Amino acid sequence: MELLIVSLASLLAGLVDAIVGGGGLILLPVLFATFPGAPPATLFGTNKSASIWGTAFATVQYSRKVVMPWRSLLPAAGAGLLGSLVGAWAVTQVDPSLFRKALPFMLALLLVYTLAKKEMGHSHAPRFAGKQEAWIAAGIGLVIGFYDGFFGPGTGSFLVFAYVRLLGYDFLNASASAKLINVATNFSALVLFAIQGHVWWHLALAMAVSNIVGSLIGTRLALKHGSGFVRQVFILVVLALICKTAYDTWLR
C-alpha cells in the first residue's frame, strides 16, 4: 500500500514537473506523511531519485518538438551543476532559516509581476544570441543551481521565470529549457544524498517509472496546449508554493 501511494504521488509530481516544475509540492508531503519516522534527508534523496528520471525524459520529449538552444543550454546546465554543489556545501556552513522566511515574499513578488505583465511569455522572442545568451544562461544556471542546492523549493518556477523575463522566451520554450538545468541540479543533489546513504533504492525504481509516465503525460499536455496553458499552470504552482512556504515558515 505504501508503494502504491508514493508511486501515484510520483506520477502526479512528474506530470506537474514536466509542465512547469514544482512536483516536489506533491511528492514530498506524501513521502513525509507515508513515512513519518524517516530521516528528512532520506526522503529528500528518495524524491530526487524519482524526479530526476521524469525530468530527463521530459527534456528528451521537448527536444523532439521544440528547438532547444543547446549552445546556451549546455553551459547553463554545467553552471547549474556547479552551483548546486556549492549550494549543498554552503548549507552545511550557514543556517538557511533566514532565507526561508524571505522566500514567500520573493515568490509573491514573482507572482504579482507575472500577473501584471499579462503579455509576458506569450511570444517567443529571444533577446540575445550566441555567446551573450550563453553567458547570461550560465549565470541563471549558476545562481538558481546554488539556490537549489542551498534551499530548493520552487527551483523549476524560478528557472522558467528567469528564462521568460531575462532571455525573452515564451513559457513553453522556457519550461523546455529549464528541464535540462533541473536535471543537472538534481543529479548533483542525488549524488550527494546517495554517497551519504540517504536514498531508499527499494522505492526508487517504482517511483522513477511512475514519474516518467507522469512526465510523458505532462509534456504532451504542454506541447498540445502551448504557452498560455504553461503560464496558467505556472501561476497555480507559484501560488501553491507561496501557501506551502508561508505555512512552513510561520504556522507549522
Side-chain angles (χ1 to χ4, degrees), residues 72-165:
S72 63
L73 259 185
L74 293 177
L81 179 64
L82 176 62
S84 182
L85 289 171
V86 175
W89 170 82
V91 81
T92 65
Q93 309 294 317
V94 181
D95 183 7
S97 59
L98 182 62
F99 191 80
R100 183 180 293 114
K101 295 177 182 178
L103 184 58
F105 296 104
M106 294 170 58
L107 288 165
L109 288 173
L110 184 151
L111 178 62
V112 169
Y113 188 90
T114 303
L115 290 172
K117 299 284 186 178
K118 294 183 179 180
E119 297 304 314
M120 185 182 75
H122 279 289
S123 59
H124 186 60
R127 295 191 177 95
F128 309 100
K131 291 183 179 180
Q132 190 177 18
E133 183 179 71
W135 278 107
I136 295 172
I140 292 171
L142 185 66
V143 172
I144 299 182
F146 176 87
Y147 166 78
D148 192 25
F150 185 73
F151 196 62
T155 297
S157 298
F158 282 127
L159 280 170
V160 170
F161 181 81
Y163 263 77
V164 170
R165 180 64 186 86

Side-chain angles (χ1 to χ4, degrees), residues 160-235:
V160 170
F161 181 81
Y163 263 77
V164 170
R165 180 64 186 86
L166 300 179
L167 296 180
Y169 284 34
D170 65 12
F171 273 96
L172 179 61
N173 280 274
S175 182
S177 296
K179 296 294 169 285
L180 183 64
I181 304 173
N182 244 160
V183 170
T185 59
N186 282 340
F187 177 76
S188 62
L190 178 58
V191 169
L192 289 173
F193 282 126
I195 290 173
Q196 296 170 356
H198 287 303
V199 177
W200 279 345
W201 297 109
H202 63 287
L203 293 179
L205 179 59
M207 290 173 59
V209 171
S210 299
N211 204 265
I212 290 169
V213 172
S215 77
L216 295 177
I217 297 171
T219 307
R220 287 193 175 189
L221 287 172
L223 291 170
K224 180 179 179 181
H225 297 290
S227 291
F229 172 73
V230 177
R231 183 180 189 272
Q232 291 172 358
V233 177
F234 173 83
I235 290 170

